[in-house]
Amino acid sequence: MSRRLLTCGEHAVLVEVDGLEEVLALDDAVRAAVTGEDAAFADVVDVVPAARTLLVVVHEGADVLPVRKALSALPADRPTSADALRRGVPHVVEIPVHYDGPDLDEVSELTALAPHEVVAAHTQTPWRVAFAGFAPGFAYLAGGDSRLRVPRRSEPRTTVPAGSVGLAGEFSAVYPRASPGGWQLLGHTDATLWDVERQPPALLQPGSVVRFVDVGNNADTDTAHR
Amino acid sequence: MSICELGLEVLATGPLALIQDLGRPGLASMGVGRSGAADRGSFRLGARLLGQSYDAAAVEVTLGGLAVRACGDVLLALTGAPAPATVNGTEVAHAASFLMRHGQTLRLAIPQAGLRTYLSVRGGVDVPAVLGSRATDVLSGLGPAPLKVGDVLPVGAPPRTFPNVELAPVRSMTAGPIVIRALLGPRADWLADPHLLAATPWTVSSRSDRVGIRLEGRALRRPEARLGQELPSEGVVRGSIQVPAGGEPVLFLADHPVTGGYPVVAVVRDADVDLAAQAVPGQALRIDLSFS
């Protein structure tokens, strides 16, 4: 397993690893070191996992060198079953989806699956929240059916409506609010992904398991929500 | 005694006036960026001039134009871009504390240099906090709405600490060329010639905001091996200089996204991000690059 430490300004280190599983293992290890009061990690203020990298940020004015040194040596084994037990049973979230997205046909072409097979693939394999990013409450879901890997749209949309359910690369996601975006849209949900009045505000927490449920294209249920 | 709650009534906003503090650090795992004052040094100076902690929120005024009337007597300070300021027509000093009496009006003109002026008030702007901060994040929409005419900004209770300085010496801001220092990396290998980032004279684009400053100049090129490649999105920090496929850099400010999909080739030093946050559209900018 390789781990590359890249300089990222005065107060951060970007750690590049081989893949998502390595990122999540290192993320677990760094968070354990931060909460376990490991002195080298005392100044860490933010840890940002992504598809191939983990960004570790220290407080303004703090020295990043101790963290950098500690990161090169920190053991980050894949989570053991004992760790999984300690963290308890994952939180399972069901998300009802109307599979009426504008890119369903394109995804069908790209994957050589019929539209109903795309829906079946998206709903039958559970997804797991790998990390958040892009926008508040935007969770990157990994571990789904590998036949659903599709590239982003070549031209991003200027507005993707809130609740849109999409695919990009190895990930699926739900847009918490309207924003520009380049994901392939399969459908939409009426679930509220982000609400600052709620504790916690994000419906999908790192580690949560997500099951998408096909609730049909019924326009009546749609209009009832508008 | 005044007849109203302690506060500031907004009579004019200028192009953009936002409530800011030092933001929401530590929430990146929810997809929430830090946000907060774009020029943190100037924001902090305002708090020190009023003898209060950095938790107290202030108003970040872009290109002047703000006018506020006092409800009750308030102690104020202006820092950042030195916008000419008057209280009921009488000039008030920059980077100094001053008292504004009940019913008096503060007006800010357009600063001759710099972009963002901070109006700090003793007691802080006391609107409800969202996720621990009163900062407005223009990217995510978190925090209070931009100020509108007719808003009354509540002012909090004064702290138990007292100001011990009335006037602070500050480096004067320039409308001329500025130089900002940056460290190369993490993705400098996505540039055909990293030296060109430093050698190119850049101009601050008018398409700049609190998310980032777009730099116009001769587009930077990727090495042959990287053409057509895509970098998976990764975490970015304030001060990151990101180079999209088009080759014109974007320097991320306070409201930058938590992750970005284009390579970050260098990161500006913290103190110099403040300097960059004061650059106005059309201003010349050079990057002093450390290769260590």
Side-chain angles (χ1 to χ4, degrees):
Chain A
M1 188 184 92
S2 72
R3 196 183 288 177
R4 289 211 304 147
L5 300 185
L6 304 171
T7 299
C8 193
E10 295 171 290
H11 297 123
V13 183
L14 187 69
V15 190
E16 187 173 43
V17 294
D18 294 333
L20 182 60
E21 287 307 313
E22 287 79 6
V23 172
L24 298 180
L26 185 61
D27 185 39
D28 279 353
V30 170
R31 281 173 204 280
V34 171
T35 52
E37 292 170 20
D38 182 331
F41 290 87
D43 291 321
V44 172
V45 62
D46 251 324
V47 183
V48 188
R52 299 286 175 273
T53 56
L54 188 73
L55 176 71
V56 181
V57 187
V58 299
H59 286 290
E60 281 167 86
D63 187 359
V64 76
L65 273 181
V67 176
R68 195 182 167 118
K69 273 189 196 148
L71 276 171
S72 61
L74 189 71
D77 301 322
R78 306 282 177 100
T80 62
S81 54
D83 289 333
L85 275 178
R86 201 167 54 227
R87 272 177 295 184
V89 181
H91 177 53
V92 180
V93 182
E94 283 199 352
I95 297 185
V97 180
H98 305 282
Y99 283 93
D100 55 3
D103 300 325
L104 191 56
D105 290 339
E106 190 173 337
V107 171
S108 164
E109 268 175 44
L110 287 164
T111 56
L113 296 171
H116 74 273
E117 292 172 319
V118 170
V119 173
H122 197 245
T123 52
Q124 280 167 10
T125 309
W127 299 78
R128 183 180 41 134
V129 178
F131 53 87
F134 181 61
F138 189 100
Y140 288 79
L141 308 176
D145 192 314
S146 57
R147 292 175 300 169
L148 292 180
R149 288 189 177 207
V150 289
R152 283 165 195 248
R153 289 170 52 81
S154 48
E155 283 294 319
R157 289 187 169 87
T158 51
T159 307
V160 173
S164 295
V165 177
L167 292 173
E170 66 201 284
F171 300 108
S172 186
V174 185
Y175 283 76
R177 62 176 220 144
S179 68
W183 292 46
Q184 308 270 8
L185 305 182
L186 298 182
H188 76 278
T189 179
D190 299 317
T192 303
L193 273 288
W194 175 259
D195 178 1
V196 289
E197 304 298 328
R198 189 168 61 192
Q199 200 45 252
L203 179 65
L204 306 181
Q205 300 293 314
S208 296
V209 168
V210 175
R211 285 180 189 281
F212 291 105
V213 180
D214 180 8
V215 292
N217 291 345
N218 193 332
D220 294 341
T221 54
D222 244 22
T223 45
H225 285 273
R226 289 181 187 153
Chain B
M1 276 305 284
S2 60
I3 48 158
C4 53
E5 297 278 326
L6 200 59
L8 296 169
E9 184 189 351
V10 178
L11 306 180
T13 62
L16 180 67
L18 301 171
I19 298 170
Q20 293 295 344
D21 53 20
L22 288 179
R24 306 176 180 83
L27 301 181
S29 61
M30 288 203 281
V32 173
R34 174 161 172 183
S35 185
D39 173 357
R40 291 183 193 161
S42 295
F43 168 86
R44 288 198 192 95
L45 177 62
R48 289 199 300 279
L49 283 164
L50 297 178
Q52 62 193 6
S53 81
Y54 300 143
D55 297 337
V59 180
E60 181 181 275
V61 185
T62 306
L63 279 174
L66 182 82
V68 291
R69 181 159 55 207
C71 295
D73 298 347
V74 286
L75 192 66
L76 304 174
L78 292 165
T79 57
T86 57
V87 169
N88 278 21
T90 304
E91 257 181 68
V92 291
H94 188 73
S97 59
F98 59 94
L99 186 70
M100 183 158 77
R101 296 283 184 194
H102 173 67
Q104 290 188 322
T105 299
L106 169 74
R107 286 184 191 277
L108 301 189
I110 299 172
Q112 300 207 321
L115 185 63
R116 297 181 167 100
T117 305
Y118 293 86
L119 169 63
S120 301
V121 53
R122 187 162 155 85
V125 177
D126 195 19
V127 294
V130 176
L131 299 176
S133 162
R134 297 177 176 88
T136 299
D137 183 334
V138 299
L139 184 70
S140 71
L142 289 177
L147 300 197
K148 320 183 288 298
V149 171
D151 285 351
V152 177
L153 308 178
V155 170
R160 287 162 188 275
T161 48
F162 288 93
N164 52 17
V165 57
E166 286 181 7
L167 177 70
V170 288
R171 185 163 64 166
S172 66
M173 274 183 200
T174 176
I178 56 169
V179 179
I180 55 169
R181 296 164 300 164
L183 289 170
L184 202 65
R187 299 290 179 188
D189 57 331
W190 283 68
L191 288 181
D193 182 0
H195 290 88
L196 284 178
L197 183 63
T200 305
W202 300 105
T203 304
V204 173
S205 161
S206 57
R207 291 173 305 141
S208 301
D209 58 16
R210 284 178 44 85
V211 176
I213 297 175
R214 285 168 195 276
L215 299 176
E216 291 170 348
R218 193 149 50 121
L220 300 169
R221 299 216 337 258
R222 287 184 178 177
E224 292 292 331
R226 296 285 192 198
L227 292 177
Q229 274 191 23
E230 236 184 283
L231 182 75
S233 291
E234 56 192 24
V236 295
V237 295
R238 174 183 181 258
S240 291
I241 299 176
Q242 195 186 56
V243 181
E248 286 192 324
V250 178
L251 195 172
F252 279 144
L253 296 183
D255 292 353
H256 68 82
V258 173
T259 55
Y262 297 108
V264 169
V265 298
V267 179
V268 176
R269 289 181 185 276
D270 246 16
D272 290 11
V273 180
D274 287 354
L275 204 61
Q278 292 291 0
V280 296
Q283 194 160 359
L285 184 151
R286 273 185 189 272
I287 296 166
D288 174 5
L289 207 50
S290 296
F291 289 78
S292 67

